[in-house]
Amino acid sequence: MLYGNYSFSCTFEDDAILPEYKGSTFRGAFGHALKRVACALKRQNCKDCLLRTQCVYALIFEQSIRHDKTDKKPLIASPPHPYVIEPAMDTQNHYRKGDHFDFTLILFGKVNEYLPYFIYAIDQMGKIGIGKKIDKKRTSFTLEKVLADGILVYAKKEGKINKGAFTKGLTLDRPSRHELANTIDLALITPLRIKYENRLEADLPFHVLTRAMLRRVASLQQYYGDGEPDLDYQGIVERAKKINTKDTSVQWFDWKRYSNRQDQTMFMGGMTGEVTYAGDLTEFIPLLQFCEKVHLGKQTTFGLGRIKVTNIGLD
């Protein structure tokens, strides 16, 4: 699966007020700007639009209208969105004119080919403005530069998007010999929302984590990679049940956001904290390493479900 990780560096043109968790704000503003840039029929409903199969906005935000033809019935029937927005990990609310802020856009599969659209959309997003209105208008910002793993993709002073191979192949690799492990420390960096038996979980047994990882890997590879991996799903889950939780500080964290589509405030809680697992963990390392890069659980487009393996141990 093609994987692109793009860092956007911006500067506020005025004072700004943003929520502590900015992923939802950026996602909403990005969608609005991309539709303005890419949509040929501004007032047409995407589901009824004859151009939907060729439209970058529909490809990114209207996944339910896609009709993929595959020989194998996918583990996940509804395609995941091919992007994740990672806001900066700070809780700053107030910014001054001239302050800098960064965020990351992660793209999966062939949508990486549309990167110039996304850069232009975010440039226009700066002109539209983001955050809470001050003196009846949202705060504008300037997109200064875009980097892909340290390589310059775009700079305002140059006024052009550079050409190059900015993507990598993301695969589910087999663990190497030095990755043998019987303890793993895992940090839940942003709220993790996982449903198990049709309810949101407030704790994280390893088999619940593993089920979520398998769903994420299978769905992304099915729709944006070389097809659903040929894995022993049932066997992996059964072996995951034998992994013990050695230590945990996982707790439920509630945050709220305003949905323009639904015109209401929504609570979007999830698990945060750290957890240590013990057992025969070697075969699960590739799943963890894959999901570190693509996020996990629900609302990943906001940047939720960001995890990090902080230690792999062999007693």
Side-chain angles (χ1 to χ4, degrees):
M1 179 181 76
L2 290 177
Y3 173 87
N5 187 297
Y6 308 100
S7 299
F8 289 74
S9 297
C10 308
T11 303
F12 283 114
E13 296 297 327
D14 301 286
D15 292 353
I17 300 175
L18 296 176
E20 288 187 5
Y21 188 76
K22 303 165 185 65
S24 176
T25 297
F26 288 172
R27 200 287 297 265
F30 173 56
H32 181 63
L34 184 61
K35 188 163 189 178
R36 176 181 289 191
V37 166
C39 183
L41 304 173
K42 307 297 183 184
R43 298 181 182 179
Q44 179 77 47
N45 186 301
C46 289
K47 292 182 180 180
D48 302 322
C49 182
L50 294 175
L51 303 178
R52 64 182 181 271
T53 59
Q54 303 299 319
C55 176
V56 62
Y57 174 82
L59 183 65
I60 292 291
F61 284 97
E62 302 291 341
Q63 290 295 298
S64 61
I65 67 175
R66 291 183 59 199
H67 300 284
D68 292 343
K69 295 182 179 179
T70 57
D71 295 330
K72 182 179 179 181
K73 182 179 179 181
L75 182 67
I76 305 297
S78 178
H81 290 287
Y83 74 98
V84 168
I85 293 177
E86 281 186 354
M89 293 306 300
D90 64 63
T91 57
Q92 186 174 348
N93 293 112
H94 291 77
Y95 296 82
R96 296 296 184 186
K97 179 179 179 179
D99 283 351
H100 299 282
F101 73 98
D102 300 333
F103 64 91
T104 298
L105 177 66
I106 300 171
L107 300 175
F108 309 128
K110 291 185 178 181
V111 296
N112 282 278
E113 298 172 4
Y114 295 95
L115 179 62
Y117 282 89
F118 304 140
I119 292 175
Y120 183 55
I122 290 171
D123 178 73
Q124 293 302 299
M125 175 175 145
K127 294 177 172 58
I128 296 168
I130 59 171
K132 188 175 181 179
K133 288 184 178 180
I134 300 176
D135 296 331
K136 298 183 179 180
K137 70 183 186 73
R138 303 191 189 279
T139 302
S140 59
F141 65 84
T142 298
L143 174 60
E144 303 289 353
K145 62 181 178 180
V146 181
L147 299 176
D149 292 325
I151 301 173
L152 185 67
V153 179
Y154 165 83
K156 178 193 173 187
K157 61 182 180 181
E158 295 178 0
K160 67 176 183 178
I161 298 173
N162 297 324
K163 294 182 179 180
F166 303 120
T167 58
K168 295 181 177 180
L170 186 60
T171 60
L172 195 64
D173 298 321
R174 294 183 180 275
S176 61
R177 293 183 62 185
H178 72 274
E179 289 175 323
L180 299 177
N182 55 25
T183 63
I184 285 177
D185 297 330
L186 182 69
L188 311 182
I189 298 174
T190 58
L192 174 61
R193 293 169 58 84
I194 291 178
K195 267 193 173 182
Y196 177 60
E197 295 184 342
N198 208 32
R199 68 177 185 272
L200 285 169
E201 288 294 300
D203 61 355
L204 197 57
F206 193 73
H207 75 92
V208 172
L209 174 68
T210 298
R211 293 171 196 268
M213 291 193 295
L214 288 171
R215 286 194 298 270
R216 183 66 167 159
V217 170
S219 62
L220 287 176
Q221 292 286 26
Q222 175 70 36
Y223 288 101
Y224 307 119
D226 295 326
E228 182 184 319
D230 185 16
L231 298 174
D232 175 19
Y233 293 93
Q234 185 175 352
I236 291 172
V237 170
E238 289 302 313
R239 291 188 289 276
K241 291 179 180 179
K242 299 177 182 178
I243 304 299
N244 299 316
T245 300
K246 185 177 180 180
D247 189 25
T248 181
S249 64
V250 170
Q251 58 186 343
W252 191 260
F253 173 78
D254 262 323
W255 68 283
K256 62 182 180 179
R257 73 177 189 91
Y258 182 77
S259 172
N260 287 316
R261 284 191 176 187
Q262 300 187 37
D263 192 26
Q264 62 179 338
T265 298
M266 303 176 65
F267 285 90
M268 303 291 290
M271 292 176 281
T272 58
E274 298 179 352
V275 57
T276 299
Y277 297 109
D280 188 359
L281 288 153
T282 300
E283 75 168 306
F284 302 100
I285 292 174
L287 286 171
L288 288 160
Q289 292 175 335
F290 189 101
C291 290
E292 278 184 306
K293 295 180 173 65
V294 302
H295 292 228
L296 186 63
K298 294 182 172 296
Q299 280 75 46
T300 54
T301 57
F302 300 165
L304 297 192
R306 185 177 180 183
I307 66 171
K308 183 175 180 58
V309 176
T310 58
N311 184 61
I312 299 175
L314 181 62
D315 293 338

